[in-house]
Amino acid sequence: MNISPLQKARYSYVPKLPEGISGSIDDIAVEKGCPTESISDKEEIRKIFKNTYGKPLVTFKKAENQNNTQIHRELKVGVILSGGQAPGGHNVIAGLFDGLKKGNPNSTLYGFKGGPGGLTDNKTIVLTEEIINEYRNTGGFDIIGSGRTKIESDEQFAASLETAKKLNLDAVVVIGGDDSNTNAALLAEYFLANGSNTQVIGCPKTIDGDLKNEHIETSFGFDTACKTYSEVIGNLCRDTNSAKKYWHFIKLMGRSASHIALECALQTQPNICLISEEVEAEAMSLDQIVEQICTSIVKRADNGDNFGVVLIPEGLVEFIPEIKKLIIELNDSMADGADEFAKLTEFCEQTNWLSKKLTSASFEIFKSLPADIAGQFLMDRDPHGNVQVSRIETEKLLLGMVEKKLSILKEAKKYNGKFSALTHFFGYEGRCAFPSNFDSDYCYSLGYSAFVLISCGLTGYLSSVKNLTAPAAKWTAGGVPLTMMMNLEQRHGSKKPVIKKALVELDGKPFKSFAEKRVTWAEKTCFLFPGAIQYFGPTEVCDAPTITLKLEKEV
Amino acid sequence: MNISPLQKARYSYVPKLPEGISGSIDDIAVEKGCPTESISDKEEIRKIFKNTYGKPLVTFKKAENQNNTQIHRELKVGVILSGGQAPGGHNVIAGLFDGLKKGNPNSTLYGFKGGPGGLTDNKTIVLTEEIINEYRNTGGFDIIGSGRTKIESDEQFAASLETAKKLNLDAVVVIGGDDSNTNAALLAEYFLANGSNTQVIGCPKTIDGDLKNEHIETSFGFDTACKTYSEVIGNLCRDTNSAKKYWHFIKLMGRSASHIALECALQTQPNICLISEEVEAEAMSLDQIVEQICTSIVKRADNGDNFGVVLIPEGLVEFIPEIKKLIIELNDSMADGADEFAKLTEFCEQTNWLSKKLTSASFEIFKSLPADIAGQFLMDRDPHGNVQVSRIETEKLLLGMVEKKLSILKEAKKYNGKFSALTHFFGYEGRCAFPSNFDSDYCYSLGYSAFVLISCGLTGYLSSVKNLTAPAAKWTAGGVPLTMMMNLEQRHGSKKPVIKKALVELDGKPFKSFAEKRVTWAEKTCFLFPGAIQYFGPTEVCDAPTITLKLEKEV
């Protein structure tokens, strides 16, 4: 196989394991805590998860000669990669595989192909040592592919059970985000309720960083993705600090939460970083956001610095109350008047039609948008009739409005700089990078820990590795009952049990640390240049976790 | 100073020097060759460069006890960073500084601020050890800034001479691309013709890779920039190979030459890579290019692969003969009828106006373009009245036309795939990355060698380091007379002496190697994932030069 020199070199990297699960598997002791409760809506959630609710937290400790014969059982396990790619997925599978084979060389690991659909449709490959070795410490989900099918209907649960029976599966491991793990919990419950012994174990994946809580310190992939974005953002910072003539407006992936933007801001110290959660909490208007950016541009121009960097989270527009309202009104009007709207081919006709449908406040906002961007609000809806926010070029929207405001300021003699700007969107570039040493170790540990959870006969658990700011040997591995992280939320018209998404906390240390410094950053040039992810150098360069994680763990 | 862990670690990297200039500076022997000639137009160029034409090639060799007292002279040297940023510029300055100080600790290095304008306007800072140490092995040109002023008018030459006199300069070192080095040659000649002893030495910079020839194996920055782009392209390859649902259309910096696109293709093996030079040589039409892309999409769809990667060089449109013609006609029409055109505010009015101005062939092409992209051909002209090609979103242009053609193929039942695509532009991200070990060593050597050329009293030379595919100790340092690389070319209505730009040679090894494999790449998935630039790992990962350079140097 023709592979890159780095890929070849990464094959020989040996991921570090937490002490509790390193060494001989005969020395792993399983400590169980007290029964647990969900974070809220306890009674409702207990009813939904009759068989899996209230299980204890589990921790693995090193203790000699446990003589755990269970761990040497011959097992058949299937693994699923669910949803968007995140660096380290291959290492979760490698850790799981190595654990299984260490337990019993005759154990089998099936890979479900193309995401959860592989389970319902029974599309598998048997993962061999030879296959696994081609993917160790590499990025991507290409070992078995991923998919966005959600296992949530009765038919899908039944089909999954059918597959589990056919393959005689002891367990299914679901590597996914909050939604996929919610569905993993439901599947675990379904299996037990239907007399199946197939266990279900989840692993916390998402570059967005929004699957975290008291028991999950971070989701895997966040580290690598943020470092990859920070590399290129830092390069743009250095470029503009050299050429001194451009403002870079950079949109970053992250539909709901702004963890990525915040982490990248902490790593690169741009002039402006918008945080969706703050915009919503402060009920900021689009005009206020534009004002904030312009204030920085004007101040810097007064200092002779006609350049800078602005970070924008992908999902921002939905967090601006007036735009959120506009989007809802647009969705409703375009759904109600779908036939009428479809006949309007010109933008001016569409605008005219909307003037009669939208509230006057929303219509004013709509008219204030640059025309090409306003058009993006009217593009094809998703299957639920919603505007596809990821297709709105928020970075160009803000740039267009900033340009407008600057020209007003210039006429009023309140701004005398030169303004030239470039826009960027970084997202897909970070989802399949070679996992950082942190993600390589963390993911391998999560996979290995998933194996230990399976061998203990547990189901409805999320594999968990904690104390992540310490060296890997000091990490602790174990499992968290999935129901423990749940609450009820409104989804498509009814209350559903879901794992609570972690948004940026405005009173959390990462945001506060950012908020303390941003006034200076907005005016001065304080850029940091993190450079490319390093896999081989000094430990302070290669093994540091994200700044977010470090700040969150600080006492 | 608050700096990143990588930046701190890179400060302690010690760049490697070619043996000929390593060790004691008392042991550097200077070998001169025979008188040289320009590559063509010898008589004309000799006339223009009366004082600097015909100088010999110079090579530095290690030889003990040369007792070259010249090398210990106290010197005053000024250095300029000219044009677009390229990784390694800081190391050229560091090498020059270290050489100067080794020769005589009392020597002074001035940095001209903000590019060549710093020389004409006498804006300098004295570069101290303390300043230099903050920039060793880092990216960017922020140590003194860069600029695009071209020193080419009599007033500018006179002002430069004035500055050289005021500062009592022994030499000026110009770090720049082909144009800047052409002007460096003219400045060297001007100084001598006007009785000044200030020497002028150039250094070959440009990420575009188009400043190379028999004597210059590569320009600095090309290595790092291509590796940075290949990192993110490889990540996108891996992402799409995992998600299996997107085509990525990626535009890459490189206005004239397609070296960057070609090198990135060799490093990542995308499905399609367009090479401007081939498009021009084959006189390909826009439709043929679209056809080529669609053929790959259709074949891959037949294999069940509805995903892929297309690389597009930034300057492509100017190499498509029919588009080149269209652009010329547009430039002319819009210049001749500037007042009329300025009054037309709607795109349909503009189109109508153009229907009377353009030849029918060009108008047909114009009409065939997606409307939003066609509009970009009508945007503000540059100061010379030309369309700003870098502002045309060629990646979206091709995508729009590919979508159109695919829908025709679908109707004709010749295509039955799903097509969903994303566009990207990578350019600014690569210009200021931390220089690779290759560029760190190469640039430091170029700067050090520039010092030796100065100490020898030479002027009108380009610092040169060769044999670059060998380990650095085996490199050879020396100087190439700038006039030797010149020919006459038509520029703004008259023949001017210029350093010949190196375009991709269609019978050269890099292109041939690509051409051999691309048929397979277009149909199969052969992606390579180079990953992030590594500075500390195994030598095959950290120190390999570009594939282009390796292939060009292969016997």
Side-chain angles (χ1 to χ4, degrees), chain A residues 143-157:
Chain A
I143 186 170
I144 49 175
S146 183
R148 292 195 179 269
T149 304
K150 287 184 180 171
I151 301 184
E152 47 191 1
S153 72
D154 289 345
E155 293 72 27
Q156 287 171 316
F157 284 131

Side-chain angles (χ1 to χ4, degrees), chain B residues 64-75:
Chain B
E64 274 173 42
N65 303 319
Q66 287 290 300
N67 294 323
N68 178 357
T69 53
Q70 286 296 90
I71 212 157
H72 291 294
R73 277 186 299 151
E74 184 182 330
L75 295 170

Side-chain angles (χ1 to χ4, degrees), chain A residues 29 36 49 57 61 83-84 95 128 145 211 223 231 259 281 284 291 361 391 418 434 454 493 508 530:
Chain A
T36 59
F49 295 95
L57 280 167
K61 293 249 164 96
T128 60
L211 174 49
D223 186 89
E231 173 200 355
H259 297 292
M284 288 174 77
E291 181 74 37
R391 293 177 64 186
K418 280 186 191 172
F434 284 88
I454 294 167

Side-chain angles (χ1 to χ4, degrees), chain A residues 276-545:
Chain A
S276 298
E277 290 85 343
E278 183 186 25
V279 166
E280 186 170 55
E282 304 285 333
M284 288 174 77
S285 67
L286 184 55
D287 193 59
Q288 280 176 304
I289 294 170
V290 171
E291 181 74 37
Q292 185 192 341
I293 301 173
C294 287
T295 302
S296 169
I297 294 171
V298 170
K299 268 196 191 153
R300 287 177 61 76
D302 289 346
N303 299 341
D305 294 333
N306 288 299
F307 63 93
V309 170
V310 181
L311 301 187
I312 303 154
E314 186 182 15
L316 181 74
V317 290
E318 286 188 302
F319 286 78
I320 304 172
E322 61 190 13
I323 301 277
K324 195 176 175 181
K325 188 161 169 287
L326 167 65
I327 289 174
I328 292 171
E329 289 185 28
L330 283 173
N331 289 343
D332 290 348
S333 313
M334 289 169 66
D336 292 346
D339 294 342
E340 267 176 64
F341 187 79
K343 287 181 199 140
L344 311 172
T345 52
E346 295 293 316
F347 180 66
C348 47
E349 291 171 3
Q350 295 172 333
T351 307
N352 193 31
W353 186 81
L354 288 169
S355 72
K356 293 165 220 153
K357 301 284 176 182
L358 302 178
T359 60
S360 66
S362 287
F363 186 67
E364 282 308 308
I365 297 289
F366 183 78
K367 274 203 310 178
S368 77
L369 304 174
D372 49 339
I373 306 297
Q376 294 173 356
F377 281 79
L378 307 181
M379 288 188 305
D380 294 343
R381 288 359 224 182
D382 73 10
H384 300 291
N386 298 318
V387 63
Q388 296 182 56
V389 176
S390 65
R391 293 177 64 186
I392 296 175
E393 293 176 292
T394 315
E395 68 282 23
K396 291 192 180 164
L397 164 65
L398 289 177
L399 173 55
M401 301 201 65
V402 162
E403 280 172 339
K404 215 195 250 180
K405 181 153 292 217
L406 287 177
S407 70
I408 294 170
L409 291 169
K410 192 155 240 174
E411 273 187 25
K413 312 248 183 255
K414 289 179 181 165
Y415 168 61
N416 193 25
K418 280 186 191 172
F419 184 74
S420 183
L422 295 160
T423 58
H424 310 263
F425 170 45
F426 297 128
Y428 298 90
E429 295 82 355
R431 307 196 312 174
C432 286
F434 284 88
S436 61
N437 289 349
F438 175 87
D439 271 327
S440 297
D441 297 346
Y442 180 42
C443 290
Y444 188 83
S445 301
L446 285 171
Y448 202 94
S449 174
F451 154 71
V452 184
L453 291 168
I454 294 167
S455 78
C456 299
L458 298 169
T459 188
Y461 273 76
L462 190 73
S463 177
S464 138
V465 176
K466 304 212 281 186
N467 198 29
L468 295 169
T469 50
K474 303 276 176 206
W475 293 354
T476 53
V480 183
L482 284 162
T483 54
M484 190 182 180
M485 300 179 284
M486 289 196 171
N487 63 180
L488 290 184
E489 289 178 23
Q490 197 73 23
R491 293 286 163 96
H492 306 306
S494 61
K495 287 222 162 187
K496 293 270 167 77
V498 295
I499 296 174
K500 198 176 171 189
K501 225 185 238 308
L503 300 182
V504 170
E505 288 177 11
L506 301 183
D507 57 355
K509 282 197 182 164
F511 180 80
K512 280 166 100 175
S513 167
F514 159 72
E516 260 171 35
K517 299 173 203 152
R518 66 175 158 180
V519 181
T520 311
W521 297 354
E523 187 174 345
K524 312 283 181 201
T525 301
C526 304
F527 302 147
L528 289 181
F529 318 118
I533 295 182
Q534 296 300 300
Y535 302 96
F536 307 97
T539 189
E540 62 276 17
V541 177
C542 297
D543 301 318

Side-chain angles (χ1 to χ4, degrees), chain A residues 2 4 85 139 141-142 231 235 238-239 241-242 269 424 426 429 431-432 434 528-529 533-535, chain B residues 2 4 85 139 141-142 231 235 238-239 241-242 269 424 426 429 431-432 434 528-529 533-535:
Chain A
N2 188 4
S4 77
Q85 285 80 248
F141 277 8
D142 37 347
E231 173 200 355
N235 288 358
R238 190 130 215 175
D239 198 63
N241 192 40
S242 300
Q269 303 188 175
H424 310 263
F426 297 128
E429 295 82 355
R431 307 196 312 174
C432 286
F434 284 88
L528 289 181
F529 318 118
I533 295 182
Q534 296 300 300
Y535 302 96
Chain B
N2 188 3
S4 77
Q85 284 82 250
F141 277 9
D142 38 346
E231 173 201 354
N235 288 358
R238 189 130 216 175
D239 197 63
N241 191 42
S242 301
Q269 304 189 172
H424 310 262
F426 297 128
E429 294 83 354
R431 307 196 311 175
C432 286
F434 283 89
L528 289 180
F529 317 118
I533 296 182
Q534 295 301 300
Y535 303 97

